[in-house]
Amino acid sequence: ENIVEELALGDFVAFSYNPTDTLNEISKSPDESIEELNQIFEIIPDKKIGFFELSWSTSNFVEGDENSQKLFIAKLFDFYAQNESNIEFLTWYRYIDQQPNSCVKEEQKIGDQTITLGGGSSLGTSEHVIERLNQYNCNTGLVDIDQNYKIGWNEFKTQIQMLN
């Protein structure tokens, strides 16, 4: 019988990030978001960092738009270039937007509680927060639901080509 008494910490520490407040609305500028990503190196100074599911929504429902997504992507690649030796990997959350009705579930489980989305959602309620999370998540793609490339995709592609 083998009993694990000690766990190795591993080669890197992974973080996901989105620029939202507790209501899931975008509350930071692209510059402020990059400042927050830089703080991770202060918190974890001695390990490489993995960034997974980085995102910026283009939904105006949560205060997003295509220009801010494009700007965040440009700044994200600058951030990567400046910190490449400390970054294990970096991934973007979603390639193609999803239909709103596929992201907004009628019922959401939080812990062992089920929240049902009803007609009205007042500020600060679970329904209000879930509604914004789903709107945020559905619109983080670089391509819209009609298969049109957003300006963020053009920025992403340009930045990738400059890396090679």
Side-chain angles (χ1 to χ4, degrees), residues 74-123:
K75 290 179 180 299
L76 184 61
F77 274 90
D78 287 343
F79 165 80
Y80 176 77
Q82 290 167 18
N83 297 288
E84 188 174 358
S85 62
N86 296 319
I87 295 175
E88 184 74 17
F89 61 85
L90 189 150
T91 67
W92 190 258
Y93 176 61
R94 170 167 278 140
Y95 174 59
I96 300 176
D97 285 349
Q98 300 297 303
Q99 294 283 351
N101 63 358
S102 73
C103 288
V104 179
K105 295 181 179 177
E106 293 301 314
E107 292 189 342
Q108 287 277 33
K109 280 194 100 49
I110 298 179
D112 43 1
Q113 301 242 325
T114 298
I115 309 287
T116 302
L117 294 181
S121 59
S122 31
L123 190 66

Side-chain angles (χ1 to χ4, degrees), residues 45 69 85 90 157 164:
Q69 183 189 60
S85 62
L90 189 150
K157 196 168 82 170
N164 294 330

Side-chain angles (χ1 to χ4, degrees), residues 26-52:
I26 295 174
S27 58
K28 296 168 184 76
S29 70
D31 281 322
E32 290 168 327
S33 295
I34 297 301
E35 283 176 32
E36 287 186 337
L37 292 177
N38 270 306
Q39 289 172 8
I40 291 169
F41 298 119
E42 296 166 24
I43 297 167
I44 312 287
D46 54 347
K47 292 271 182 199
K48 284 199 167 199
I49 306 297
F51 293 98
F52 68 101

Side-chain angles (χ1 to χ4, degrees), residues 47-163:
K47 292 271 182 199
K48 284 199 167 199
I49 306 297
F51 293 98
F52 68 101
E53 296 187 343
L54 296 175
S55 64
W56 194 283
S57 184
T58 57
S59 169
N60 62 6
F61 192 82
V62 294
E63 310 302 323
D65 59 56
E66 286 197 33
N67 286 322
S68 58
Q69 183 189 60
K70 176 190 175 196
L71 187 56
F72 178 69
I73 289 167
K75 290 179 180 299
L76 184 61
F77 274 90
D78 287 343
F79 165 80
Y80 176 77
Q82 290 167 18
N83 297 288
E84 188 174 358
S85 62
N86 296 319
I87 295 175
E88 184 74 17
F89 61 85
L90 189 150
T91 67
W92 190 258
Y93 176 61
R94 170 167 278 140
Y95 174 59
I96 300 176
D97 285 349
Q98 300 297 303
Q99 294 283 351
N101 63 358
S102 73
C103 288
V104 179
K105 295 181 179 177
E106 293 301 314
E107 292 189 342
Q108 287 277 33
K109 280 194 100 49
I110 298 179
D112 43 1
Q113 301 242 325
T114 298
I115 309 287
T116 302
L117 294 181
S121 59
S122 31
L123 190 66
T125 63
S126 296
E127 292 90 345
H128 177 87
V129 172
I130 291 167
E131 184 179 31
R132 273 141 188 78
L133 176 62
N134 282 300
Q135 288 291 330
Y136 180 94
N137 285 342
C138 264
N139 294 286
T140 55
L142 303 172
V143 179
D144 70 21
I145 56 174
D146 298 319
Q147 307 296 311
N148 298 309
Y149 293 108
K150 297 180 187 178
I151 59 175
W153 166 250
N154 297 330
E155 184 65 33
F156 201 90
K157 196 168 82 170
T158 299
Q159 294 284 348
I160 292 286
Q161 288 166 342
M162 290 192 309
L163 287 175

